[in-house]
């Protein structure tokens, strides 16, 4: 398929080889288990590998792809996931870049600190902290998150947070993110899923003040509703991210068709699909 407009996909998910089967041990993986219970998981498991991703890149003429993993909680799984992502960027430099996954629970915290300190590749663009890290936000965990953020900032990388809407979580994640970004306005944030409805919790004036340096990916099921309603302030802060292959779509082309049908100007569409990511990432 020939496409005139350039595309940068800022959010694609891969799974390390041994975990690409329905019988992988997920007893201590609550977040990943939720994903594996989806009715289309068999298709997604076949798609969540670098070879398939490179085929998609060629087929749809994607300019760049940013890969990441899932919210693995067992230390061994988190290590395997990040090692796979790092190997992908090493084997295919300039074709794919990565956001590595970090966590504050148990052994994962020390591992995450060491990972950030020792990682020097220019193809690692940032680190993703899953929303589950904010569930038990006691003082100790707040200090752990603060340490991660400080170290990521010191390395000049992005901090990516997983956006969740109120019905998707038992905590007030929007309030947590608002305070987190407000208290760390010297750092570079990306929030997925169009921020998870953050604009519902404050005035536009306050939103502009707090999130003036923050980028938002389009990875939400109701993508068209969110993107079509962005105002001129947000248009240069939204970047295309498919969350493929875990965004409930059968194939990549369906997601692109949905974007193409959006009732927005060509200028906004190009900014979202390409130029915003090109400029910032």
């Amino acid at each position: 398929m020939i496409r005139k407009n350039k595309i940068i996909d800022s959010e694609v998910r891969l799974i390390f080889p041994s975990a690409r089967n329905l019988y992988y041990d997920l007893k201590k993986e609550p977040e990943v288990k939720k994903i594996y219970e989806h009715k289309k998981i068999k298709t997604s498991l076949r798609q969540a590998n670098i070879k398939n991703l490179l085929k998609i890149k060629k087929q749809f003429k994607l300019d760049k792809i940013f890969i990441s993993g899932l919210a693995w909680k067992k230390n061994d799984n988190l290590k395997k996931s990040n090692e796979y992502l790092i190997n992908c960027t090493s084997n295919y430099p300039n074709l794919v870049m990565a956001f590595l996954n970090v966590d504050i629970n148990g052994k994962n915290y020390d591992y995450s600190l060491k990972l950030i300190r020792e990682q020097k590749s220019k193809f690692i663009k940032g680190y993703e902290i899953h929303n589950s890290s904010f569930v038990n936000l006691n003082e100790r965990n707040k200090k752990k998150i603060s340490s991660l953020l400080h170290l990521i900032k010191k390395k000049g990388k992005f901090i990516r947070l997983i956006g969740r809407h109120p019905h998707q979580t038992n905590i007030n994640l929007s309030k947590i993110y608002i305070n987190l970004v407000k208290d760390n306005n010297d750092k570079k944030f990306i929030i997925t899923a169009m921020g998870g409805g953050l604009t519902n919790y404050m005035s536009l004036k306050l939103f502009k003040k707090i999130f003036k340096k923050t980028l938002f990916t389009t990875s939400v099921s109701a993508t068209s509703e969110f993107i079509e309603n962005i105002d001129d302030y947000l248009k240069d802060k939204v970047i295309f991210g498919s969350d493929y292959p875990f965004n409930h779509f059968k194939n990549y082309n369906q997601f692109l068709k949905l974007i193409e049908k959006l009732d927005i100007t060509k200028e906004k569409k190009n900014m979202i699909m390409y130029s915003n990511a090109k400029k910032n990432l």
Side-chain angles (χ1 to χ4, degrees), residues 137-151:
L137 209 55
N138 53 39
E139 288 303 313
R140 184 181 180 185
N141 286 341
K142 284 181 180 179
K143 289 181 180 179
K144 287 183 177 181
I145 290 174
S146 180
S147 296
L148 285 180
L149 298 186
H150 177 73
L151 190 54

Side-chain angles (χ1 to χ4, degrees), residues 49-192:
N49 64 83
I50 189 62
K51 289 186 177 180
N52 177 63
L53 190 57
L54 292 176
K55 289 180 181 178
I56 287 174
K57 184 181 186 302
K58 182 178 181 180
Q59 180 181 358
F60 298 106
K61 301 185 183 300
L62 305 184
D63 188 69
K64 286 284 189 303
I65 300 175
F66 292 80
I67 58 176
S68 57
L70 301 180
W72 298 101
K73 294 301 178 182
K74 289 178 64 175
N75 186 248
D76 185 54
N77 288 334
L78 183 61
K79 285 181 178 179
K80 288 179 180 178
S81 179
N82 283 329
E83 287 170 2
Y84 180 63
L85 298 174
I86 293 169
N87 287 337
C88 288
T89 62
S90 298
N91 294 333
Y92 305 97
N94 296 315
L95 296 181
V96 295
M97 298 185 181
F99 286 88
L100 302 182
N101 301 85
V102 294
D103 185 40
I104 65 169
N105 296 299
K107 295 180 181 179
N108 290 345
Y109 175 62
D110 289 333
Y111 159 73
S112 296
L113 290 175
K114 183 179 180 181
L115 176 72
I116 299 168
R117 288 194 191 102
E118 297 181 352
Q119 186 52 239
K120 298 179 181 180
S121 171
K122 66 178 182 179
F123 301 114
I124 305 302
K125 302 303 292 185
Y127 298 86
E128 180 176 275
I129 305 175
H130 192 263
N131 54 282
S132 57
S133 293
F134 299 91
V135 173
N136 297 313
L137 209 55
N138 53 39
E139 288 303 313
R140 184 181 180 185
N141 286 341
K142 284 181 180 179
K143 289 181 180 179
K144 287 183 177 181
I145 290 174
S146 180
S147 296
L148 285 180
L149 298 186
H150 177 73
L151 190 54
I152 294 171
K153 189 251 181 178
K154 187 177 180 180
K155 291 291 184 176
K157 305 295 183 178
F158 280 92
I159 300 157
R160 191 161 76 179
L161 306 174
I162 301 297
R164 285 289 184 268
H165 294 272
H167 70 279
Q168 295 176 306
T169 177
N170 294 324
I171 60 174
N172 193 337
L173 193 63
S174 293
K175 184 177 180 180
I176 291 171
Y177 283 177
I178 289 168
N179 290 331
L180 187 72
V181 175
K182 183 180 179 181
D183 295 338
N184 294 275
N185 57 14
D186 60 331
K187 300 173 179 64
K188 300 185 294 184
F189 285 94
I190 300 174
I191 306 180
T192 69

